[in-house]
Amino acid sequence: MEDRPARIAFWRDIFAGLRSAVGYVLIFAASVVSASSAEQADTDELFLATCPAPGYIRFDGTCLSISGYITAEHSFSDADDRIFFLPGYAGGLPIARFGLVPNGSDRRKTETTSYLTFLSASETEWGMLRTRLSLEGELLGSGGQTLKVDQAYFTLAGFDLGRGASYFNLSDGYTYTGGYAADDTIDLAAYTYGFTNGSRITLSLEDSSARRLEDGIWAKRASPWIPDIVLNAINADETFGVSGALTHIRDARTAVNAWGFAVAAGYEHRWSPGGRPARLAVVATYAKGALGYLGYPDNVTDYLIDADGGMVLSSGYAALASVQHDVSEQTSLVGTASGYSVETDARFLNWRARGLRVSLGVIRQSAGGLTLGLEGNYHLDEVSATDIRGQNHIPADGFELKVYVRRSF
C-alpha cells in the first residue's frame, strides 16, 4: 500500500509542475478537443477582424487589450468593538472563549487600489488562444503596500490553466462592498463544454489550500494532496447558475480524514422599470466542512477534533440578494443584503456564529471613465456557545460610510 508521505509528495510535484508544463498541457488539450462551438469561433474571428480598434493593439498576429483602473477610498466606522474568537480545550473537551476588543485605528481607513489587465487573443493551429494577466496593487493609509498577480491564465480549446476566478463563484452583489458569497481568485485547471444553445458546464480542479478555515487548535489541516473538485453550470443568457464543490479534509495531528462539500444556486432577474435597466441577483449556498465557499464567515472553523479524537464538521449556509437600478444614464442605485449562519455541534460543545451585512449606495459615472461612489454599510455579528462551563453570547454591530473615486482606462 502506498504510504501517505509519498502520496503527498506526488501531488505537490504535480501542482509545482503545472506552471512549467503549461505549453505541453495546452498542446495535448488542443490535440484531443475541438473548438467549443461555431458561435464561439465567429466571435473570436470578429474580435481579431476588428483589431486594431480603440483600446486594442495588433502585432504579429495577436490582438492585445490593456485596461485598468485606480480607486481611492476613504471609510469611517462607528463600531467601537469587534469579536475575538479563541477556541481551546479543557480536560480534553473543546471549549469556546470569546469577547470584544477595541477597533482602534480600524475605525478610519484610507486605501488606494490599482488594477491593470492585459488581454490577448491569437489564432493557432489548435484554435483561438486567449490569455489574461491582471496585476493588483494596494496602498494603505498606514503605509503598507502590496503588489500581486490577481489573475494569470491561458484559455484554449475549452481549457483554462493558471490563476483565475473560481468556477464556484456566482455573484457577491452589485455594491462596492460585496456580500457573503464566494468571490475567489484561485489556481485552477478547468475544462468548459459549450452546448449549441449557448449554455455551458465546467469541471474545475482548484487549489484546496486557498479556502481553508482553520484556527490551529480545533482545526489544523495537513497539506492537501488532492485539489478541490468544482462543477459549474450556467444557462445561455447567464441568468441562472449552479455550483458544487468537493474538498478533502485531513487533520494534521490525528490524521483523521473526511470529505467536505458546498453547493450553490444563483439567479439574476433583469427588467426595465420606467424604461431604465434594473437587475436583481439572488444567491444561496450551503456548506459542510468547506465554509470558505460561503464567502469567509467570521469566527468559524471548517471542523473541530472532539474529545474522542473524531472529526466534527461545521455546517451552515449563506444567502444574498442584490439589486441595481440605473435611474439615469449616469447614475445607479445599488443595494445588497446578505447573511450567514454556521454551527459546530460536538458532544459537549455547541458553537454558533451568525453575520448580517447590508449595503446601500449611489454610483455616478461621468465622462472620461470617472466613477464617484457613496455607500453606507451596516453589519451585525453574533457568536454563542454552550460548553462544559455554561452558555455565552456576544453580539457586535456597527455602521460604516465609504466614499470612493475610480478612474478607469
Side-chain angles (χ1 to χ4, degrees), residues 5 23 32 41 60 110 130-131 224 240 271 275 291 329 331 358 363 409:
V32 298
D60 194 26
T110 299
R130 294 176 176 271
T131 64
F240 179 72
W271 77 108
L291 303 185
E329 292 185 1
T331 305
V358 178
I363 302 172
F409 55 89

Side-chain angles (χ1 to χ4, degrees), residues 101-409:
V101 294
N103 263 331
S105 60
D106 289 340
R107 294 182 60 176
R108 181 174 295 175
K109 295 181 181 179
T110 299
E111 298 180 3
T112 301
T113 304
S114 59
Y115 202 83
L116 187 62
T117 298
F118 300 86
L119 301 175
S120 73
S122 57
E123 279 286 1
T124 72
E125 59 184 295
W126 305 290
M128 180 67 67
L129 171 64
R130 294 176 176 271
T131 64
R132 177 184 179 120
L133 173 62
S134 295
L135 305 176
E136 182 178 26
E138 188 174 50
L139 179 64
L140 305 178
S142 60
Q145 50 188 310
T146 61
L147 178 62
K148 67 177 183 179
V149 176
D150 183 53
Q151 298 189 53
Y153 62 87
F154 299 85
T155 300
L156 179 65
F159 282 86
D160 292 342
L161 185 64
R163 182 173 183 82
S166 168
Y167 278 95
F168 190 86
N169 300 350
L170 295 175
S171 173
D172 69 339
Y174 309 125
T175 46
Y176 182 74
T177 301
Y180 289 110
D183 184 30
D184 296 295
T185 301
I186 205 163
D187 294 335
L188 56 82
Y191 174 69
T192 299
Y193 179 80
F195 296 91
T196 55
N197 64 358
S199 58
R200 59 189 184 274
I201 186 169
T202 301
L203 176 64
S204 180
L205 304 181
E206 303 186 356
D207 182 8
S208 59
S209 65
R211 295 186 178 95
R212 301 189 305 185
L213 294 180
E214 54 186 342
D215 62 293
I217 301 174
W218 280 357
K220 183 176 177 62
R221 292 177 67 168
S223 299
W225 54 271
I226 57 175
D228 284 5
I229 303 171
V230 175
L231 189 65
N232 169 269
I234 301 290
N235 68 342
D237 60 2
E238 299 186 350
T239 58
F240 179 72
V242 293
S243 299
L246 188 65
T247 183
H248 186 256
I249 304 170
R250 188 166 58 92
D251 186 68
R253 293 162 299 182
T254 65
V256 175
N257 290 261
W259 288 94
F261 69 92
V263 290
Y267 174 72
E268 182 179 73
H269 176 63
R270 304 163 186 166
W271 77 108
S272 300
R276 305 301 309 175
R279 53 181 179 166
L280 169 69
V282 179
V283 179
T285 309
Y286 175 80
K288 185 171 184 178
L291 303 185
Y293 286 95
L294 299 179
Y296 299 97
D298 295 322
N299 308 308
V300 300
T301 63
D302 285 327
Y303 68 93
L304 69 79
I305 299 300
D306 210 348
D308 61 357
M311 181 180 292
V312 179
L313 299 183
S314 303
S315 62
Y317 62 87
L320 174 146
S322 185
V323 64
Q324 175 180 339
H325 179 38
D326 297 339
V327 295
S328 71
E329 292 185 1
Q330 296 180 312
T331 305
S332 299
L333 301 179
V334 292
T336 299
S338 64
Y340 70 87
S341 178
V342 174
E343 179 180 22
T344 308
D345 194 8
R347 290 183 303 163
F348 298 98
L349 168 74
N350 179 263
W351 168 267
R352 293 177 181 268
R354 296 185 178 92
L356 171 69
R357 183 183 298 163
V358 178
S359 303
L360 297 174
V362 57
I363 302 172
R364 174 77 175 182
Q365 294 181 328
S366 302
L370 181 65
T371 300
L372 306 176
L374 176 65
E375 184 175 276
N377 299 306
Y378 171 76
H379 76 272
L380 171 64
D381 296 297
E382 292 183 325
V383 292
S384 60
T386 302
D387 57 23
I388 57 175
R389 303 167 306 170
Q391 297 181 343
N392 199 2
H393 170 259
I394 290 182
D397 66 348
F399 291 91
E400 180 187 54
L401 181 67
K402 286 186 178 181
V403 181
Y404 59 93
V405 179
R406 172 171 292 177
R407 172 67 167 86
S408 302
F409 55 89

